[in-house]
Amino acid sequence: MAEGDPMQRLIESGLMYSNLFHVDSPVLVDRYNRALEHLTGATTQLSEFHVDVSGYSPEVGSELGDHQYLNHGGVNRQFILLSNEQGRCPLLNAHFSTSRQILNRFIRENERQLFALTATDAIAGELENSVFSVESPRDLFDIRQIRVVADTTNGTIAKAGHLARLVDRFHDEKDGWFNEQLINEMIEVARCTGDVTRNPVQLQHAVFEQRNFWTSLFGGLYIFQDMEKPSVVVREEKYRRQLPSALVMLLDDRRDVARFLSDNELVETVVKFPGDEGVAVLRRKLDLMLGLELAKKSVDSTGHAGSRLRRLAARNGVSLPMEYEGLASIVRWAEAGGTRPKVGISHPAYFATLRAADTPVKDLVNMLLAELVPNDVLQLYICHKDEFYRRYRSWPREVRDFSVDAIVREYISDKDSARAMLFGSNKE
């Protein structure tokens, strides 16, 4: 990381490259190199480094001058597993929102087998899409399933399959006991695999559906294929005409996006009635919004909240955006009753009043909402880290400092509680 790089503050604060698996022994480095060479033809000279759930290492990427060394082309991501502990790690440089979930589930559902296999070797594998490359947005609709293909660098799983077939042949052949060549081959393969009849070496649940997802490709797309009308949200106009979907929306077409989310019952209002506990969520959003406006004026708002924050804003002549006024009116209604204020689709605060409903695409919807509420740096960081990092680079120093302080204070100390309050879920 270059001196003066704005991302250094994120790393030091534990908001970037945190919770990675430390590869710090000659044995693990050697296994990693065998897998890396097997997949890419490259090796690392580093004696220690950190890897994410897929085995990608920022340090190795810098050494090789290629941070896509396990993910060229953005599809069919390769991975290296050294330990089941990687299942707790984040996924860096993700091109598909489903990739971490798939890897995490694969590790969890094969925990016992992977534990045994990684005791002596590394696992090298690939998230194999139904397409080998994506040349246009249309190709994304051909991705329906992801198949996890994996084996040790010594080919233990493939050899185990071969041995199982030899054992079946031994039992099925009438003169199997007298087939010396067959018996010798079984013995030789078993030196690598062990007794597959007592301890089968086989990985389960290797095929996963991928029909609803976000991808960083083509400027960033949200694809919802399981809706009554398959729909796509795109960032850039030029890709609108290249998609076969029944409904293609620009991210900036807020009215169309709002109707899509509402018609498909993908969102719910945070505050539904007076006295709703969701008012605490809107109060947090208001504080973040106000703190952000103060940061833009180079005013330090660290440690201030609620009325103290509002007084600080008044003293410094901070003008409140319409988004703030809309949320504040809902908070007043929730706490004092009366007539519910109208904060409709055309109001700048509209998307800030929503969160994803409890559906199979909840995480994807919260990710989309994070982009639609740019002043909520907390939701952006939690739900869409790649977009947060992209925007963070261009923010003024005061805004970066405020954002880091707010996220560390409001989220890092107790992630589960923060997520439960904001989204009604403890899901990471």
Side-chain angles (χ1 to χ4, degrees):
M1 188 68 64
E3 184 179 356
D5 192 313
M7 311 309 282
Q8 186 64 36
R9 175 73 187 280
L10 293 178
I11 297 172
E12 293 170 353
S13 301
L15 302 185
M16 189 176 188
Y17 298 158
S18 61
N19 300 321
L20 299 181
F21 179 74
H22 194 190
V23 181
D24 59 351
S25 73
V27 171
L28 288 179
V29 172
D30 178 64
R31 291 176 187 172
Y32 186 87
N33 263 332
R34 291 205 306 270
L36 184 60
E37 186 171 22
H38 175 77
L39 292 174
T40 70
T43 58
T44 177
Q45 300 301 311
L46 300 176
S47 59
E48 64 175 296
F49 45 89
H50 299 78
V51 298
D52 69 1
V53 63
S54 74
Y56 160 73
S57 166
E59 297 102 321
V60 173
S62 295
E63 179 196 21
L64 298 177
D66 179 11
H67 286 283
Q68 299 296 325
Y69 67 93
L70 290 178
N71 199 21
H72 287 143
V75 287
N76 301 317
R77 182 163 188 149
Q78 297 173 306
F79 63 88
I80 298 171
L81 295 181
L82 300 173
S83 167
N84 287 352
E85 291 296 313
Q86 286 174 242
R88 302 176 183 177
C89 299
L91 178 66
L92 307 178
N93 298 338
H95 286 307
F96 289 90
S97 59
T98 52
S99 296
R100 181 183 183 273
Q101 179 185 0
I102 290 172
L103 281 168
N104 184 268
R105 184 177 168 192
F106 175 73
I107 293 171
R108 188 172 63 250
E109 294 183 354
N110 292 281
E111 187 172 4
R112 184 179 62 83
Q113 292 285 47
L114 293 174
F115 179 81
L117 291 168
T118 56
T120 57
D121 202 355
I123 303 287
E126 184 173 329
L127 301 183
E128 189 177 88
N129 288 307
S130 48
V131 298
F132 293 103
S133 64
V134 176
E135 304 297 333
S136 78
R138 285 179 172 270
D139 296 333
L140 293 169
F141 281 81
D142 293 328
I143 300 176
R144 301 299 180 92
Q145 290 184 330
I146 304 296
R147 180 179 297 275
V148 182
V149 180
D151 203 343
T152 67
T153 58
N154 288 324
T156 302
I157 297 174
K159 290 175 182 176
H162 178 52
L163 178 57
R165 291 189 292 274
L166 292 176
V167 171
D168 289 342
R169 178 181 160 194
F170 174 80
H171 287 300
D172 293 341
E173 286 188 2
K174 183 177 180 180
D175 299 323
W177 282 103
F178 303 102
N179 189 333
E180 186 174 342
Q181 181 179 355
L182 175 61
I183 293 173
N184 287 338
E185 186 176 359
M186 289 167 57
I187 293 173
E188 187 61 32
V189 176
R191 296 182 193 277
C192 173
T193 65
D195 187 351
V196 296
T197 61
R198 294 186 179 182
N199 300 293
V201 183
Q202 187 177 5
L203 299 176
Q204 305 295 329
H205 309 293
V207 178
F208 301 89
E209 294 290 327
Q210 178 171 287
R211 294 178 54 77
N212 309 296
F213 56 89
W214 167 86
T215 175
S216 66
L217 303 177
F218 308 109
L221 306 175
Y222 292 84
I223 294 183
F224 297 86
Q225 296 189 77
D226 282 341
M227 305 297 106
E228 184 176 344
K229 293 182 178 179
S231 304
V232 184
V233 180
V234 304
R235 280 190 188 149
E236 300 181 28
E237 171 67 39
K238 63 182 178 180
Y239 297 119
R240 183 198 289 267
R241 294 181 297 275
Q242 299 181 34
L243 286 159
S245 171
L247 180 60
V248 183
M249 300 157 282
L250 279 175
L251 187 67
D252 290 338
D253 293 339
R254 295 168 65 89
R255 185 176 294 273
D256 289 341
V257 175
R259 284 177 176 158
F260 161 72
L261 293 174
S262 177
D263 290 347
N264 289 281
E265 300 181 333
L266 298 178
V267 291
E268 63 181 19
T269 54
V270 176
V271 175
K272 300 178 178 64
F273 48 82
D276 192 331
E277 293 181 355
V279 72
V281 176
L282 297 194
R283 281 204 167 278
R284 181 173 289 192
K285 288 177 181 287
L286 287 173
D287 284 353
L288 286 171
M289 199 179 303
L290 203 50
L292 193 62
E293 293 301 317
L294 285 163
K296 291 176 182 177
K297 286 182 167 289
S298 302
V299 178
D300 182 11
S301 61
T302 304
H304 295 287
S307 59
R308 292 178 61 191
L309 194 60
R310 291 192 292 274
R311 286 195 296 270
L312 185 64
R315 287 198 302 269
N316 288 274
V318 172
S319 58
L320 301 177
M322 286 186 64
E323 185 179 357
Y324 184 95
E325 295 288 3
L327 287 185
S329 69
I330 294 178
V331 169
R332 288 192 295 270
W333 165 77
E335 294 180 339
T339 302
R340 178 165 186 146
K342 294 182 179 180
V343 180
I345 290 176
S346 60
H347 198 289
Y350 177 72
F351 287 111
T353 69
L354 305 176
R355 63 184 171 194
D358 189 13
T359 71
V361 293
K362 181 175 185 176
D363 290 344
L364 185 62
V365 172
N366 275 329
M367 191 177 191
L368 173 58
L369 289 174
E371 285 206 63
L372 293 165
V373 188
N375 287 328
D376 191 342
V377 294
L378 183 60
Q379 178 163 346
L380 188 62
Y381 176 80
I382 296 173
C383 299
H384 202 339
K385 285 185 176 59
D386 285 340
E387 180 63 14
F388 173 85
Y389 295 147
R390 186 183 73 83
R391 296 185 185 186
Y392 179 92
R393 290 181 182 276
S394 62
W395 287 340
R397 181 183 59 80
E398 293 81 3
V399 174
R400 294 199 301 266
D401 290 346
F402 164 77
S403 300
V404 170
D405 177 75
I407 294 167
V408 170
R409 184 180 66 252
E410 300 284 351
Y411 178 63
I412 298 300
S413 61
D414 191 347
K415 294 181 180 181
D416 287 344
S417 294
R419 291 185 68 89
M421 187 190 81
L422 294 171
F423 314 117
S425 170
N426 289 324
K427 186 175 179 182
E428 180 62 54

